[in-house]
Amino acid sequence: LGIGYAMSLLGPAIGYVLGGQLLNIYIDIQIPKRQDTAYTKVDQDDPRWLGAWWIGFLACFFAIWLLIIPFSCFPKHLPGTAKIQAEKISETHDDGSQVLVQANNIGQSLKDFPMALMILLRNPVLMSLIIASSSEALVATGFATFLPKFIENQFGKSSSSAATLGGLVLIPAAALGQVISGVLVSKCKMSCKSIIKFMISTCSVALVLNTVFLFAKCGNEPFAGVSETYNGTGTLYNLTAPCNANCKCLRSMYYPVCGRDEVQYFSPCFAGCTSYLFNNMKKTYYNCSCIGKAKRENGSEDVLYEAVPGKCPTQCTFLPLFLTFFFLAVVFTFMATTPTTVAILRCVPDKQRSFALGVQLVFLRLLGTIPGPILFGVAIDNSCTLWDINECEIKGACWVYDNERMAFLLMGISAACKIITIIFVVMAVYFYKPPPLTKALPRKTSENISAI
């Protein structure tokens, strides 16, 4: 199970990388000729460029058929399955469900669906584990969606480098955590109750590591009109000041520049710049009425330029520390995934194992993977300090975030979900009642073994 879950993470990651490489190929493989004798000059920077997205679908088609053929050759039950199952002792939660399922032979027809569902919904151990796993899924999907944005804004990285760093942390850590937990459960031969206790320990460690947001966060760099005024003029949260009042600047054109005073400006226009030059293929701005003197230790003024394109470089050096602790937090978070599945399979009657996994999947979607990105998105929007407002006064994307508020909100959501997870896992331990060895029902022969 651990290896399977790890592959389900590594597979899409490799697919994204390979799919991205396919987009470097033109959609028609060969760039078409124009009406004249010259070839059309279309490169990847041209807005007319379209990547060969369709190659991935063909590759998947053939790859899936290569998998279907060997899978179709497997027997209904692998050799030795009946013997292995017969030697195992049932760990089904002792609430009478095992006897009820076997006595009524539930699961043979569609009319048994309501009763089978009620048996699972009344299993307190199963429902506690499902809610706990849904809470973990909420955090996992939220960070999978918005971790690059967090890294980009906190540590001043570009979108591409932030996405790369986020992927390098999330995917290997999640895969490693799932494999490690699978090995520990298998080698230590944990019982169902021991597995649930193991989940409590991993979630507790992940909760402690979650405090990385407290000591590895970065404050915002100075931003004129947002976090500070224009050299003592103008007001906060107002990009217009006396130094740029006559420039008629548009808030819909966000093009940040960094002034020699180490203050970021919304655009060259809002910085009051009236001219620019190209130095070594790099644009530099001059005659900027809003930019003050350079902040240098010796007090000298830098006269080489007044502003350069891009955000001001961050002075924060916590990125390696954050990535290290967050990597460990992800490892311990996903170390609960494989044990959760094993515990769910063991605490329900044998014939309801597949059904229990289906019920878990429904709850994961409704309580975890769907609301997770929505909740994280709302939290990030609430940390916005400067919105894009176009000529029609319609609010669009966010340009500037309050880094500390974003860090506290994400940590609060993550910590709250971790606490909910721990509470319900503790409840699962409390409610779980293993069947007495004298009353443990023997496994039936291969014809009654459900295939999962």
Side-chain angles (χ1 to χ4, degrees):
L1 286 174
I3 294 174
Y5 279 131
M7 293 301 103
S8 68
L9 288 172
L10 296 176
I14 296 173
Y16 272 115
V17 173
L18 296 179
Q21 296 304 312
L22 292 177
L23 297 180
N24 294 329
I25 305 173
Y26 190 66
I27 188 171
D28 291 336
I29 303 297
Q30 294 182 347
I31 298 178
K33 294 182 179 180
R34 294 177 57 183
Q35 297 297 328
D36 52 27
T37 56
Y39 284 95
T40 307
K41 293 184 178 180
V42 180
D43 55 20
Q44 295 181 32
D45 296 327
D46 195 297
R48 295 172 295 174
W49 178 273
L50 290 174
W53 54 267
W54 52 271
I55 297 179
F57 285 89
L58 291 181
C60 287
F61 172 80
F62 290 108
I64 289 173
W65 273 103
L66 290 177
L67 290 175
I68 289 176
I69 293 173
F71 269 117
S72 63
C73 298
F74 276 92
K76 186 176 181 180
H77 302 291
L78 292 176
T81 301
K83 180 181 178 181
I84 294 174
Q85 293 290 346
E87 293 175 351
K88 289 184 178 180
I89 298 175
S90 175
E91 295 185 85
T92 305
H93 173 58
D94 190 20
D95 59 353
S97 58
Q98 178 84 319
V99 177
L100 181 62
V101 170
Q102 289 195 359
N104 297 312
N105 202 20
I106 293 175
Q108 298 300 313
S109 63
L110 188 60
K111 66 180 181 179
D112 295 335
F113 180 86
M115 182 178 293
L117 180 61
M118 288 305 300
I119 291 174
L120 293 180
L121 295 179
R122 289 177 178 176
N123 189 327
V125 180
L126 172 66
M127 297 310 299
S128 297
L129 292 175
I130 287 178
I131 295 176
S133 62
S134 299
S135 178
E136 289 292 275
L138 189 149
V139 177
T141 54
F143 276 117
T145 306
F146 289 106
L147 181 63
K149 177 171 279 293
F150 177 82
I151 295 175
E152 175 186 354
N153 288 277
Q154 288 285 334
F155 306 105
K157 298 295 181 180
S158 64
S159 299
S160 58
S161 60
T164 302
L165 289 173
L168 290 176
V169 170
L170 282 172
I171 296 173
L176 183 63
Q178 290 170 337
V179 173
I180 290 175
S181 61
V183 171
L184 291 176
V185 170
S186 176
K187 296 301 181 182
C188 298
K189 300 186 183 301
M190 297 183 186
S191 64
C192 186
K193 197 163 191 174
S194 299
I195 290 174
I196 301 175
K197 291 180 179 179
F198 174 72
M199 293 166 56
I200 296 176
S201 61
T202 59
C203 292
S204 299
V205 174
L207 176 60
V208 173
L209 292 172
N210 188 64
T211 57
V212 66
F213 290 96
L214 290 178
F215 59 85
K217 65 182 186 299
C218 300
N220 291 84
E221 299 298 321
F223 197 119
V226 178
S227 59
E228 64 177 53
T229 59
Y230 291 83
N231 294 317
T233 63
T235 58
L236 292 179
Y237 305 108
N238 186 4
L239 296 176
T240 303
C243 61
N244 59 27
N246 297 325
C247 299
K248 297 181 180 179
C249 304
L250 298 177
R251 280 193 58 174
S252 58
M253 298 180 62
Y254 180 59
Y255 187 78
V257 295
C258 182
R260 63 182 177 182
D261 54 358
E262 299 179 10
V263 176
Q264 182 177 322
Y265 295 85
F266 187 85
S267 66
C269 181
F270 279 102
C273 302
T274 57
S275 60
Y276 64 88
L277 293 174
F278 283 95
N279 293 330
N280 297 324
M281 301 302 293
K282 186 176 182 181
K283 209 173 192 180
T284 54
Y285 294 90
Y286 299 90
N287 300 325
C288 304
S289 58
C290 295
I291 299 178
K293 295 182 179 180
K295 296 179 180 178
R296 292 297 180 91
E297 294 181 359
N298 57 9
S300 63
E301 183 177 349
D302 188 353
V303 295
L304 296 178
Y305 68 90
E306 292 194 40
V308 292
K311 299 178 181 180
C312 291
T314 179
Q315 304 299 321
C316 183
T317 58
F318 291 137
L319 180 59
L321 180 67
F322 172 79
L323 293 179
T324 301
F325 276 84
F326 194 79
F327 180 90
L328 295 175
V330 175
V331 170
F332 280 94
T333 295
F334 279 85
M335 280 180 69
T337 303
T338 304
T340 300
T341 303
V342 175
I344 287 176
L345 291 174
R346 292 189 185 182
C347 73
V348 299
D350 294 349
K351 290 185 176 180
Q352 288 197 296
R353 287 184 166 188
S354 299
F355 196 11
L357 293 179
V359 172
Q360 183 201 22
L361 182 62
V362 172
F363 275 86
L364 283 177
R365 294 290 184 267
L366 296 178
L367 302 179
T369 57
I370 293 177
I374 297 174
L375 182 59
F376 273 69
V378 171
I380 290 179
D381 283 346
N382 285 333
S383 63
C384 182
T385 57
L386 181 63
W387 290 94
D388 172 27
I389 300 178
N390 61 17
E391 298 88 340
C392 300
E393 299 298 321
I394 297 176
K395 186 170 69 173
C398 179
W399 295 131
V400 181
Y401 294 92
D402 184 339
N403 286 346
E404 291 194 358
R405 180 176 174 81
M406 180 190 295
F408 280 120
L409 286 174
L410 295 188
M411 189 204 71
I413 295 174
S414 180
C417 291
K418 293 291 181 187
I419 293 173
I420 292 174
T421 298
I422 294 174
I423 290 174
F424 278 95
V425 175
V426 170
M427 290 174 59
V429 174
Y430 175 78
F431 287 120
Y432 179 69
K433 183 180 178 182
L437 293 178
T438 56
K439 296 182 179 179
L441 294 172
R443 309 266 180 157
K444 292 194 174 183
T445 53
S446 58
E447 64 267 19
N448 291 327
I449 295 174
S450 57
I452 299 176

